[in-house]
Every structure is written in structure tokens, then in C-alpha cells.
Amino acid sequence: MDVISNIIAQAKADMQHILLPEGTDERTLKAADRLIADKVARITLFGNKDGIEALCRKLGLTNIMGKAGIIDPKDNPKKEEYAELLYQLRKAKGMTREQAVKLVEDPLYLGPVMIKNGDADGEIAGACNPTSNVLRPAFQIVKTAPGISVVSGVYLMILKDGTYGENGVLVFADCAVIPDPTAQELAQIAITTAHTTRALAGFEPRIAMLSFSTKGSAKHERIDKVVEATRIAKETDPTLMLDGEMQLDAAIVPEVGASKAPGSPVAGKANVLIFPSLETGNIGYKLVQRLAGAVAVGPILQGLAAPINDLSRGCSSDDIYKTVAVAAVQSIQLKASRR
Ligand code: ACO
């Protein structure tokens, strides 16, 4: 079974409750309709009930009616309870009760508050909102999972042929969150990505810490950062198959890996690529997606205490469908890790 089919099958086996705050977006409604029909997740949409139902009728979406939850953030019976929770969580950061009351009318705040209150398992947004507006409330309210200091974003890159990575599948990080990670943060990104790889891609990670140098072939402070991150990651988890610093070709091409990094357990056969900065990660995944025609699944946020995943504003209904399935599997895994 391919990676995506496997994720969808896992999601169906233990249906999670996922929030879709952009309930008047047509792509979101189409995805919700299919997710409900296929029994991938329980769905709650945010927005005006009459407006959503009218849109569904116009689009011929029959599964949402009566089967999806619909919450109007401005007319929500639990508004006071949620405002109080938000106020308690953020008052030390200067939030007033009045601000909390106003903020729980904002779908991007309501989602994380509902998750924090135990009323939902995860959220997908970003089809109509910039990344930072989706991430900030998630960071402030849901916060990181125990033992994790930073949230980062991975993509599952599914290539057209099986030459590179794990039969054509590679995991890229961080492509979405931390503009200029420290060595400590880069090490954390690598370790968290190893967990995500096992949980979602279903294979054992071989992690390359990327740079523009391989094993000391060049000198620069940006290379030093990757060398230090490699040291910290290995020290933190000696069982990881991880190596660096190395260039992209040394990481994925067997002959180049053998010549530039002989004896490396990763060089030439990496299936996880850790990029040294957000510029490189974000540009890198888009290059592979656009020029090599790879399917890019993500960004999948990792490290949060509950799954909240961002979408690109250019996303399709199918992207939303897959991202919900991913969040559902993340939720199942997070719950299992807490038992
Ligand atoms: N992990 C965990 N928590 C974080 C992280 C992180 N990586 N970054 C910030 N936080 C927390 C902070 O600790 C803080 O929490 P607190 O208020 O409880 O103390 C809160 O989030 C806000 O922190 P700020 O430092 O004020 O962060 P800011 O709001 O300025 O920025 C943001 C956070 C929005 C995520 C920023 O890092 C960002 O914009 N990143 C780039 C996102 C982006 O544009 N990505 C590229 C596009 S994605 C794509 O192409 C698909």
C-alpha cells in the first residue's frame, strides 16, 4: 500500500474529530463532503449554518448536511466557557478578558481553544489564511508536546520514480516554520522528524543534515551550525541513523555519497533531509514539487501537543482531504504516546 493510502486506512480505523475553520471555502466543503462519505474523520465546520448549507446545496454536496458539526463562532453556546479558558491560558501574557471574548469569535483561535478544551482532536486551516495566522494561535494555546521545544513543518515528498529516498519517498524538514534555527533547534527538528517519519511514512529514517559542504569540504559559520546540530542530535539519540554535514548530492546519490562521505551510514541513501534554514527548506520542497513533479504532502506540523496543520492558499480540495487524514493519524499517534 502506498504512503497516502496507508495514512487514510489508519485514519478510517479510528475516526478522529477534526475542525475545519474555513467552513465557507468551497475546496474545504468539497473535502469535508468526501471525508464524511469515506468515513475518514468526524468533521466540524465553522461558519454560519444557513450559509454553509446553502453553499452545499449549490455545490451538490449531500454528505455534509446533518453529518458534519457546524459551529458559528459568533453565536456559539460555549463561547463564555471558551473565552474563560483562553483568558486563563493567556492572561500572564497580557490578554484581557475582553480580548479573550473577542478572540474566540475568530475561527483560527476558536479551533485551538476547542482542542485545548478536549472538544476536538485536531484542526486544518490555511486555505484562506496566511501561515502565521494559523500557527500563532496553535503555538499560544495548544503548545508543544511534552519533551519538545520547537514546532517545525515537514513535507512527505512522493517522487515519480523510486530511484531516490525510500522507494521514491523522502521527508523534508523544516519547510514551514523556523526561519533561522539554532543548532539546538536544528537537532530537535531532526529528532522530531525521525518520529514523524516512522509514524506517517512508515519507514526507518536515514537522516542527512544538509549544508553546502560535505564533511569539512568548506568552512563557514553556517556549516559550523549544521556540524553542531549533528553532534547534538547524535548525542541526544545515539540510536538515530543520522549524519552530516553533507551536500544534497552526497546525501541521495550513492556514488557521490561513497566518494564524498565514505563510511557514512546515511550518505547516498538518505530518506530524510534536514535543511539548514527555512529558505532552503521551503524553496527546496517547491523545486522538487514543481520541477520534478513530486506530490508534496504538507506542511505537516510536528511537535504540537495536538495536530494543527496548515494549508497552502493554492491548495486543492484533495490536498485538504489528505491533510485531514494526516492530522487524524497524528492524533491517534499522540493519544497512543500519552497512554
Ligand atoms: N515552536 C513552538 N512555539 C513557538 C515557535 C516554534 N517554532 N515559534 C514561536 N513559538 C511560540 C512562542 O514561544 C510564543 O509563545 P508564547 O506567546 O506563549 O510565549 C508564540 O509562539 C509567539 O511567538 P513569537 O516569537 O511572537 O512568534 P511570532 O508570532 O512572531 O512568529 C511564527 C511565529 C508566526 C510561526 C513565525 O515563526 C513565522 O511566521 N514563521 C514562518 C511561517 C511561514 O511564513 N512559513 C512559510 C510559508 S509555509 C508554506 O509555504 C506552506
Side-chain angles (χ1 to χ4, degrees):
M1 201 187 288
D2 68 72
V3 173
I4 296 301
S5 306
N6 187 31
I7 287 171
I8 292 169
Q10 285 187 63
K12 284 181 177 178
D14 183 7
M15 279 171 67
Q16 303 293 297
H17 180 197
I18 305 296
L19 304 172
L20 297 175
E22 293 157 330
T24 49
D25 172 69
E26 290 194 5
R27 295 160 298 174
T28 300
L29 288 176
K30 285 179 184 163
D33 200 70
R34 268 180 69 207
L35 287 158
I36 292 166
D38 295 351
K39 296 190 168 56
V40 175
R42 289 195 294 123
I43 297 294
T44 292
L45 298 155
F46 292 172
N48 173 273
K49 192 165 190 286
D50 294 341
I52 289 176
E53 289 185 349
L55 249 177
C56 287
R57 275 192 294 277
K58 186 184 125 198
L59 297 168
L61 305 175
T62 53
N63 294 297
I64 289 177
M65 312 280 217
K67 291 193 191 134
I70 298 180
I71 293 178
D72 184 343
K74 296 205 188 309
D75 184 22
N76 169 13
K78 290 181 100 173
K79 190 172 160 185
E80 273 183 30
E81 180 184 338
Y82 290 153
E84 182 58 24
L85 173 60
L86 180 58
Y87 171 62
Q88 292 303 332
L89 289 169
R90 299 300 297 172
K91 66 182 179 188
K93 295 281 175 180
M95 187 179 288
T96 63
R97 200 170 248 119
E98 292 68 36
Q99 286 169 328
V101 169
K102 195 90 203 112
L103 277 174
V104 292
E105 291 186 1
D106 175 341
L108 296 180
Y109 272 82
L110 177 60
V113 172
M114 280 183 68
I115 293 168
K116 188 74 180 176
N117 204 42
D119 293 340
D121 297 312
E123 174 197 280
I124 306 300
C128 319
N129 286 283
T131 297
S132 54
N133 289 2
V134 177
L135 299 192
R136 201 171 289 109
F139 291 172
Q140 292 175 344
I141 298 161
V142 169
K143 297 205 168 275
T144 53
I148 300 210
S149 55
V150 284
V151 175
S152 52
V154 307
Y155 276 87
L156 302 182
M157 302 298 298
I158 303 166
L159 298 162
K160 282 186 168 161
D161 76 66
T163 308
Y164 298 112
E166 192 76 12
N167 298 319
V169 180
L170 287 124
V171 182
F172 286 13
D174 168 27
C175 307
V177 185
I178 308 172
D180 196 8
T182 62
Q184 186 74 45
E185 288 171 338
L186 209 48
Q188 168 85 83
I189 291 167
I191 291 167
T192 316
T193 306
H195 293 296
T196 302
T197 302
R198 289 190 196 103
L200 293 178
F203 52 75
E204 194 51 33
R206 296 184 298 275
I207 306 169
M209 304 293 283
L210 296 182
S211 184
F212 56 91
S213 157
T214 303
K215 299 284 180 185
S217 64
K219 300 269 171 253
H220 193 275
E221 62 192 36
R222 299 191 74 86
I223 300 168
D224 297 341
K225 179 176 89 170
V226 179
V227 172
E228 177 62 0
T230 305
R231 188 193 66 72
I232 297 168
K234 282 182 173 170
E235 192 178 280
T236 310
D237 186 351
T239 66
L240 275 185
M241 210 187 292
L242 172 148
D243 204 7
E245 91 293 6
M246 66 179 74
Q247 289 155 288
L248 187 271
D249 54 355
I252 63 168
V253 183
E255 311 81 72
V256 182
S259 100
K260 289 189 176 181
S264 165
V266 168
K269 52 178 185 249
N271 54 23
V272 175
L273 303 180
I274 303 299
F275 292 83
S277 68
L278 185 53
E279 282 117 330
T280 53
N282 191 266
I283 294 167
Y285 101 77
K286 285 177 196 274
L287 279 173
V288 177
Q289 180 187 37
R290 298 288 169 184
L291 301 186
V295 174
V297 182
I300 300 164
L301 291 187
Q302 53 179 10
L304 280 166
I308 293 185
N309 284 327
D310 178 41
L311 296 159
S312 157
R313 272 171 289 174
C315 70
S316 65
S317 159
D318 195 50
D319 293 331
I320 301 173
Y321 181 98
K322 287 176 189 153
T323 310
V324 168
V326 166
V329 174
Q330 287 179 290
S331 170
I332 294 166
Q333 302 271 352
L334 279 161
K335 286 179 186 175
S337 72
R338 285 198 288 267
R339 273 185 214 122

